[in-house]
Amino acid sequence: SHGVSLLTRPGALGRSGFALLEVKGEALAAARRDTLDWVERLNGDPRVLYAEPNYLYQPFRVPNDEFFPLQWHYAAMKLPQAWDITRGSADVVVAVIDSGAKFDHPDLGPRLTGGQFDFIGDALNALDGDGMDADADDPGDDPARLTSSYHGTHVAGTVGAASDNSGGVAGVNWVSPLMTLRVLGAQGGTSFDIAQSVLYAAGLANASQQIPARAADVINMSLGGFSRSQTLADAVAAAQGQGAVVVAAAGNENTDRMAFPASFDGVVSVGATDLTGGRASYSNFGPRIDVVATGGDVGDDLNGDGFGDGVLSTLWRQADDQPLFQFYEGTSMASPHVAGIASLMLSVNPALSPVQVRQLLRDTAVDLGDPGEDDVFGAGLADPVAALVAAGGQAPAEPLLALSVSNLDFGFTNTQFNVVVSNAGGGQLQVQEPAVETDAGGGWLTAVLSLNTLFVQVDRQGLADGAYTGRVRLDSNGGDAMLEVRMDVGTAPVPDPGELFVLALDPFTLETELSTSTNAQAGFRYRLVPLPAGGYLIAAGTDSDSDGFICDEGEFCGLFPVSNEPLPVEVRGDAVSSGIDFTVREPQLPGASAAPEIPAEGFRIGPRR
């Protein structure tokens, strides 16, 4: 603070308004004490309405990356404020255990300096012509077009893409080296291969007979399944014993079943939220969730930026062998946010143990949903500012009001959204009741603040068709914030792609085993019968060029449960599988869609004869 601002009662000192009393001194600490002393003395004067320090505000450290304005998920988690505390340390290594990464990506390759290894033992699954080797570059599609999806490239970019370099996107950690360990191939990854990669990351003996030059301090695993492997459990425990913080995605099946490795003891299990801070529809839940982080929802554009609300990160396009940036959704996207935060915590305090990091993440999370810990959000939304302060980082002494989103578009049908309200500074944040104003239509907009959540509602009843705008203002002792709101009244234009084909695909060959079709008149309901017992990928899309394949470039496309992470549906001979719902969407812009790496000609509508 610098000086004192005071507001006098009318006529008390001859005029009302602000007066600035300059406090100068050679010692900053003494000047601050003098300032606070003046504040106390003035507030005790009956002629003074209030007096407060004249705070100095500084701009947050916002990276200049070209697409950073589209990375809403960082602002939602207060990472710009956290970057004022630390942007990482070269002495902290983060291992990304995934499908490998594209080292040629200009916004990622320079950050992949923490070592690499490919642990996929099966050459057919590896897609690179051999088994275990020292090259963790993700080869993408093989000639048979079985894909390893560049999933790890996207995850690694969230942990630590090259940041503040005037191009591409930013990562959570700007400095720490990333270790690239490849375990996921065309058919996923085996528990043995994954366990060996965990041991390697921790600098322990493993099947490769190699150890890294420097062991990882944080391990991210955006992968998993419902089968508990003792081999993998032992490897995770051993890594934790070496001081590695292990973070894992909770899974995308919208279930409370325990998924592994996220449910192993001591692992930081991460669920996903959407743009408004609600549980993402696909995110797993249950008592094993530690914290949640932004995972996105590509099917919505609630902030009105023209793109689906997915997590934007680095990717690679197999078709023309070019780098790009895409919006993905999933707990796989939420987990690297938390792994990145853990690496920032260790950057300010390398002495923290895995147990301490996990507990601090839980203790400092922003409580969401019902008060206290719950099975939906765990301890709450991971808070990098509070976690860094708890770890020993230096934050501003004064409170600072932060909203998880600054724009909300209710469209034609939505009636309520929630916004996370939290303190991005120090001290105790005190927020006043929200003030609402609308530009037309009267009182159609309301907002109620309860604990850490701002409940924003709209009422279209009695309003003429058209677009309506308004805003919600929050004032606090940590500054003010404005939420811009937009709403449409009338009949929503319903995209009608025409005939939509739904396919049951062999998860290994991607050949169609059974297909059907549906349309808007049928409510896009579908049935795939009869299907023999087994596992199938479920895909849907249009065939606008009538070539017998869906999901060509420019066609509607989607896979269950989320397109960038399709998972098999298990069909049993004595049961009916239902609730297999997912989003089908058309590509937005080249290089900015949420479509997975799909075979060049798409998916065949009918079975191969």
Side-chain angles (χ1 to χ4, degrees), residues 49 70 115 144 189 217 248 277 411 417 512 514:
L49 186 62
L70 297 176
D217 302 282
F417 288 135
T512 301
L514 188 65

Side-chain angles (χ1 to χ4, degrees), residues 153-174:
T153 298
H154 197 281
V155 170
T158 297
V159 174
S163 305
D164 205 31
N165 62 346
S166 302
V169 295
V172 174
N173 186 312
W174 301 8

Side-chain angles (χ1 to χ4, degrees), residues 122-139:
D122 183 341
L124 182 62
N125 187 37
L127 303 176
D128 59 1
D130 58 18
M132 191 180 298
D133 58 44
D135 182 6
D137 193 77
D138 190 340

Side-chain angles (χ1 to χ4, degrees), residues 48 218 274 321 448 452 493 515 521 524 537:
V48 176
V218 179
D274 59 19
D321 209 30
V448 176
N452 298 314
S515 65
Q521 288 70 38
F524 296 113
L537 294 178

